[in-house]
Amino acid sequence: MRSLVAGNWKMNGFKAESLELASDLAGRARSGAVCDVLVCPPSTMLSDVGAVISGSGIMLGGQDCHALESGAHTGDVSPVMLADLGCSHAIVGHSERRANHGESDAVVTEKAAAAHKAGLTAIICLGENAAERVEGRAKEIVTLQLHGSLPEGASAANTVIAYEPVWAIGTGNTATPQDVTEIHDHLRGELIRAFGDDGNAVRLLYGGSVNAGNASELLAVDNVNGALVGGASLKPDDFWAIVESGRPD
Ligand code: 13P
C-alpha cells in the first residue's frame, strides 16, 4: 500500500517560519514525492500554508476538529471550516487532546463522524501509555480505543488509524520494529474484524519519535502504511528523509 507520511506541527510555527517550511517542502514535492505527504499546521496557519503548498501535491490537514459544523463554541474549529480551507484530513483523538482536553473515545467518534460528513479523512489516533505497556495491556487498550473511536460509516476511504504509544511521543523512545509489528498486526486483525476485506485497505500509521534515522526500519514493517511525525516534521531535511523512506505502492 502507498505510504502516507503526515507532519503534525502541533502548537509550533509562527508565520515566517511556517511559510518557509511549507515552501521548502512544496519545492521538494514538486520534483516528486515517493509517497503521499500531508502537513497539519496549527489552525492559525492553515490558510497561508495551504496557499504555499497548493499544486505541489502535498495535502493539508487540521490537528483537531469540533463535532459540530458551526455555532457557539469559542475557540473551536469545525470540520466544515477545515474543508473550506482546502483540508483533506483531520487528526482526531490525538493523545495530547485526550489528556489535555479530556477527550473520550465517545468524543473522538463524534469528531471522526463530523470529519467524514465534511468530506475529510479522519486520522484517528490511539495508543497505550507507559503504565499500560508495563502492565502488558497495550493490545487491550488499543483494541478498546479502536472499536470505541470508529464511527458508523468509517471505511478505508475515509479513515486512517495512527498508533501512537504515549510513551514514545516526544521522548526519543521510539517503539522497536518488533513492538510496532505486534501492535500493527493486531490492529490489522481488528480492522478486518470490523470491516471485512476493506480492513486490509485501511492505512495504519505509526507515530512516536519517528526521525530520519529510524524511519526506514519502521516504515518497512509489513502493516505500517506510513508515519505521523511530530518534532521531526518541523525540520525539512528530516521530514523529507522520512517521506523518502515511504513506499510508492
Ligand atoms: P513526535 O514525533 O514528536 O514524537 O510526536 C509524535 C506525534 O505525537 C505525532 O502526532
Side-chain angles (χ1 to χ4, degrees), residues 8 10 94 96 164 168-170 208-210 228-231:
N8 174 8
K10 306 193 180 183
H94 191 282
E96 287 150 15
E164 298 205 304
I169 295 178
S209 297
V210 177
L228 183 53
V229 186

Short mmCIF file of all heavy atoms in Angstrom, two decimals, residues 8 10 94 96 164 168-170 208-210 228-231, ligand 1:
data_model
loop_
_atom_site.label_atom_id
_atom_site.label_comp_id
_atom_site.label_asym_id
_atom_site.label_seq_id
_atom_site.Cartn_x
_atom_site.Cartn_y
_atom_site.Cartn_z
N ASN A 8 2.63 16.46 11.89
CA ASN A 8 1.77 17.14 12.86
C ASN A 8 2.63 18.22 13.52
O ASN A 8 3.47 17.90 14.37
CB ASN A 8 1.25 16.12 13.88
CG ASN A 8 0.46 16.78 14.99
OD1 ASN A 8 0.17 17.98 14.94
ND2 ASN A 8 0.12 15.99 16.01
N LYS A 10 1.82 20.41 15.54
CA LYS A 10 1.35 20.73 16.90
C LYS A 10 1.31 22.26 17.09
O LYS A 10 1.08 22.97 16.11
CB LYS A 10 2.23 20.01 17.94
CG LYS A 10 2.30 18.50 17.68
CD LYS A 10 2.89 17.71 18.81
CE LYS A 10 2.91 16.23 18.45
NZ LYS A 10 3.40 15.38 19.52
N HIS A 94 -5.95 12.69 19.13
CA HIS A 94 -4.52 12.65 19.48
C HIS A 94 -4.40 12.53 21.00
O HIS A 94 -5.21 13.10 21.74
CB HIS A 94 -3.82 13.92 18.98
CG HIS A 94 -2.33 13.81 19.07
ND1 HIS A 94 -1.66 13.97 20.26
CD2 HIS A 94 -1.39 13.51 18.14
CE1 HIS A 94 -0.36 13.79 20.05
NE2 HIS A 94 -0.17 13.51 18.77
N GLU A 96 -2.58 13.94 23.04
CA GLU A 96 -2.48 15.23 23.73
C GLU A 96 -3.87 15.85 23.91
O GLU A 96 -4.12 16.54 24.91
CB GLU A 96 -1.52 16.16 22.97
CG GLU A 96 -0.07 15.71 23.14
CD GLU A 96 0.86 16.01 21.99
OE1 GLU A 96 0.51 16.84 21.12
OE2 GLU A 96 1.95 15.40 21.95
N GLU A 164 -0.02 5.58 18.15
CA GLU A 164 0.98 6.44 18.76
C GLU A 164 1.08 6.11 20.25
O GLU A 164 0.33 6.66 21.06
CB GLU A 164 0.60 7.92 18.60
CG GLU A 164 0.50 8.39 17.17
CD GLU A 164 0.73 9.89 17.06
OE1 GLU A 164 0.03 10.66 17.72
OE2 GLU A 164 1.64 10.28 16.31
N ALA A 168 6.09 7.01 23.66
CA ALA A 168 7.06 7.23 22.57
C ALA A 168 6.95 8.63 21.98
O ALA A 168 7.77 9.02 21.15
CB ALA A 168 6.83 6.19 21.47
N ILE A 169 5.94 9.39 22.41
CA ILE A 169 5.70 10.70 21.79
C ILE A 169 6.60 11.76 22.42
O ILE A 169 6.55 12.00 23.63
CB ILE A 169 4.22 11.11 21.94
CG1 ILE A 169 3.34 10.15 21.13
CG2 ILE A 169 4.02 12.55 21.48
CD1 ILE A 169 1.85 10.43 21.24
N GLY A 170 7.45 12.35 21.58
CA GLY A 170 8.30 13.46 22.03
C GLY A 170 9.36 13.06 23.03
O GLY A 170 9.97 13.91 23.67
N GLY A 208 5.45 8.46 16.98
CA GLY A 208 6.14 8.46 18.27
C GLY A 208 7.64 8.44 18.05
O GLY A 208 8.21 7.39 17.79
N SER A 209 8.24 9.64 18.08
CA SER A 209 9.69 9.78 17.90
C SER A 209 10.21 9.20 16.59
O SER A 209 11.32 8.65 16.54
CB SER A 209 10.44 9.20 19.10
OG SER A 209 10.12 9.91 20.29
N VAL A 210 9.40 9.30 15.54
CA VAL A 210 9.91 8.91 14.21
C VAL A 210 10.89 10.00 13.77
O VAL A 210 10.61 11.19 13.89
CB VAL A 210 8.77 8.78 13.18
CG1 VAL A 210 9.32 8.45 11.80
CG2 VAL A 210 7.76 7.72 13.62
N LEU A 228 3.08 9.23 11.38
CA LEU A 228 2.57 10.52 11.86
C LEU A 228 3.71 11.11 12.68
O LEU A 228 4.11 10.55 13.70
CB LEU A 228 1.30 10.31 12.70
CG LEU A 228 0.59 11.56 13.22
CD1 LEU A 228 0.29 12.56 12.11
CD2 LEU A 228 -0.73 11.18 13.91
N VAL A 229 4.26 12.21 12.18
CA VAL A 229 5.53 12.73 12.68
C VAL A 229 5.32 14.06 13.39
O VAL A 229 4.68 14.96 12.84
CB VAL A 229 6.50 12.94 11.49
CG1 VAL A 229 7.89 13.33 11.99
CG2 VAL A 229 6.57 11.70 10.61
N GLY A 230 5.84 14.18 14.60
CA GLY A 230 5.75 15.43 15.35
C GLY A 230 7.02 16.25 15.15
O GLY A 230 7.21 16.90 14.12
N GLY A 231 7.90 16.20 16.14
CA GLY A 231 9.11 17.04 16.16
C GLY A 231 9.88 17.08 14.84
O GLY A 231 10.25 18.16 14.35
P1 13P B 1 6.95 13.10 18.00
O1 13P B 1 7.29 12.68 16.59
O2 13P B 1 7.48 14.47 18.34
O3 13P B 1 7.28 12.05 18.99
O4 13P B 1 5.35 13.27 18.04
C1 13P B 1 4.55 12.25 17.55
C2 13P B 1 3.17 12.72 17.48
O5 13P B 1 2.52 12.93 18.50
C3 13P B 1 2.58 12.96 16.14
O6 13P B 1 1.22 13.16 16.21
#
